[in-house]
Amino acid sequence: MRRAGVYAIGLLFLFSAGLLDPVEARQEGSDNSNKLDTSVRRLISDVNPERISKHLFHLAKDPLPYRKLNLTLPGHEKNTLYEADDYLAGQLEAWGYRVEREGVQVQAFRRDTSKPKHAQYSPPKPEDPWYTAYNLYAEKKGRSHPEKIIVVLAHKDSPSWIDSPGAYDNAIGTVGVLEMACVLAEYTPESTIRFLLCNEEHTPWTSKTAAQKAKARGDDIVAVFNLDGIGAKTAEQTAAGKKTNVTAYTKPEGKRLAELMGEVNARYSIGLEQRTVERSQPGDDDGSFVLTGYPAAVINIGSWPYGDPNYHAEGDIPETCDIKNAAMTVQATLAAVVTIDRGL
Ligand SMILES: [Zn+2]
């Protein structure tokens, strides 16, 4: 449906410019559509659950059980979040990306054990230590319209107030973004595809700085996909073998992205139980972009409301993650990104 819309606009322009007769134009449209399909099918078949699993266990179990600024493993020089940063940057660089680091001053949350387990984060006091947290950026410059930017992001840190490995929240989204970068390493996009690994379990969220700096530069961000808790769902859904994804949006521009997720899931037979939800207000790292004036921003998440029984708890471990489900969400996001890229 979306492709038809994009072609319709493109074709209208070409007719009015007297550049194509209708038969030629239809031919051209379907050629482009076939090329897009071939390209998407090839890319999504490259998504590799074993690689996703390997990175997930590295970041949420061994050698790094956590990714937080306020925890350094015994005998190690760097805190666990910096170690994770080095690992992630090393992978991206091995695939040919140049990685940029953007430092942001943050604090760890305090813990309030009187609150429910999933919500025990509480604001730090001014005298608590400050740390530099880094946003990591890698991108593929667009060939035709480098100024148009599609952002794919995930927060890479684990909860700073509790010793939770944060496997679903959000090592899984982090390795999902990493997998997309890996698969797209040899792809030449028409527009720029920017990967951002940020921090959201310390305060303030570093996605806010990322969005504000993009706005100050005048970046033309046409779509933002946040991967957070991909494949995470209720115990009942997991037991029933469900493969779920929810795309939540705030603005009409985000709704179009959410609908595209459903279209590509069907078109490429990805097999997700895919649904869309309108958020009552901007939230999570996609919300940082909405609040800064980039309304085409969505989150892909396994359930809504979030159903992971180990949310923000010590039991959020990689062994509970549905890697196959996460890989399917990566495939659908990849298909959506490439479809947008070719339609711009
Ligand atoms: Zn969280």
Side-chain angles (χ1 to χ4, degrees), residues 155 159 161 169 200-201 228 311-312:
H155 79 81
W161 63 95
D169 182 19
E200 189 236 32
E201 306 286 9
D228 198 348
Y311 181 39
H312 285 169

Side-chain angles (χ1 to χ4, degrees), residues 230-233 237 242-246 271-274 301-303 322 325 328-329:
I230 53 174
K233 48 197 172 277
Q237 288 174 309
K242 305 263 187 207
K243 304 298 173 200
T244 58
N245 185 58
V246 181
L272 285 167
E273 277 185 39
Q274 164 72 29
I301 187 164
S303 44
D322 187 340
N325 192 157
M328 290 162 75
T329 304

Side-chain angles (χ1 to χ4, degrees), residues 7-337:
Y7 284 127
I9 294 163
L11 296 179
L12 211 60
F13 168 76
L14 292 168
F15 292 143
S16 60
L19 296 175
L20 283 181
D21 72 37
V23 177
E24 243 180 277
R26 212 173 304 124
Q27 186 66 41
E28 175 113 333
S30 83
D31 278 359
N32 283 344
S33 180
N34 289 342
K35 277 189 202 154
L36 169 70
D37 276 352
T38 309
S39 175
V40 170
R41 286 182 207 286
R42 200 179 45 233
L43 289 165
I44 66 176
S45 72
D46 284 347
V47 171
N48 183 333
E50 287 78 42
R51 193 163 46 212
I52 290 174
S53 178
K54 185 189 93 172
H55 295 311
L56 175 70
F57 277 78
H58 186 108
L59 291 172
K61 182 159 186 144
D62 181 26
L64 291 172
Y66 314 109
R67 302 166 306 287
K68 49 203 263 192
L69 295 166
N70 50 345
L71 196 146
T72 301
L73 295 172
H76 289 225
E77 264 176 37
K78 294 185 178 179
N79 66 58
T80 46
L81 185 54
Y82 284 0
E83 288 203 76
D85 287 353
D86 288 347
Y87 178 74
L88 293 163
Q91 298 298 319
L92 290 163
E93 282 160 1
W95 301 325
Y97 291 94
R98 194 165 58 82
V99 177
E100 270 184 43
R101 297 182 191 226
E102 174 180 77
V104 184
Q105 293 307 112
V106 304
Q107 290 178 295
F109 283 104
R110 288 194 170 205
R111 183 174 179 184
D112 179 352
T113 52
S114 71
K115 295 201 284 185
K117 190 67 176 263
H118 68 273
Q120 292 186 341
Y121 46 87
S122 73
K125 298 258 188 282
E127 66 270 22
D128 290 349
W130 287 82
Y131 305 88
T132 304
Y134 292 95
N135 284 326
L136 304 185
Y137 294 93
E139 65 179 37
K140 305 253 0 158
K141 268 268 180 267
R143 171 173 58 183
S144 314
H145 343 273
E147 75 289 355
K148 302 256 181 242
I149 303 165
I150 301 167
V151 175
V152 184
L153 68 84
H155 79 81
K156 58 185 160 63
D157 53 340
S158 62
S160 55
W161 63 95
I162 187 173
D163 284 346
S164 164
Y168 264 139
D169 182 19
N170 185 30
I172 195 79
T174 301
V175 302
V177 171
L178 203 60
E179 183 64 15
M180 288 181 67
C182 178
V183 168
L184 290 171
E186 303 300 323
Y187 174 76
T188 305
E190 302 304 326
S191 44
T192 295
I193 301 177
R194 177 179 295 168
F195 304 100
L196 163 62
L197 297 173
C198 56
N199 310 283
E200 189 236 32
E201 306 286 9
H202 299 70
T203 186
W205 297 354
T206 65
S207 55
K208 290 183 181 170
T209 302
Q212 285 159 5
K213 290 210 169 168
K215 202 59 177 175
R217 283 191 301 266
D219 287 1
D220 184 6
I221 296 176
V222 297
V224 177
F225 290 91
N226 175 17
L227 303 188
D228 198 348
I230 53 174
K233 48 197 172 277
T234 64
E236 292 73 24
Q237 288 174 309
T238 301
K242 305 263 187 207
K243 304 298 173 200
T244 58
N245 185 58
V246 181
T247 308
Y249 61 90
T250 320
K251 303 277 183 186
E253 292 86 346
K255 186 177 187 189
R256 286 200 283 278
L257 297 183
E259 286 165 352
L260 177 63
M261 285 295 298
E263 286 161 23
V264 295
N265 179 52
R267 186 179 184 94
Y268 300 108
S269 309
I270 291 170
L272 285 167
E273 277 185 39
Q274 164 72 29
R275 66 188 182 96
T276 65
V277 163
E278 181 177 0
R279 319 180 68 125
S280 53
Q281 56 190 16
D284 299 295
D285 295 307
D286 45 304
S288 299
F289 283 81
V290 173
L291 290 167
T292 313
Y294 294 112
V298 295
I299 184 171
N300 281 328
I301 187 164
S303 44
W304 193 282
Y306 194 60
D308 177 22
N310 297 300
Y311 181 39
H312 285 169
E314 294 86 344
D316 183 7
I317 56 174
E319 288 85 344
T320 66
C321 291
D322 187 340
I323 309 269
K324 179 156 195 286
N325 192 157
M328 290 162 75
T329 304
V330 169
Q331 287 182 316
T333 312
L334 189 56
V337 165

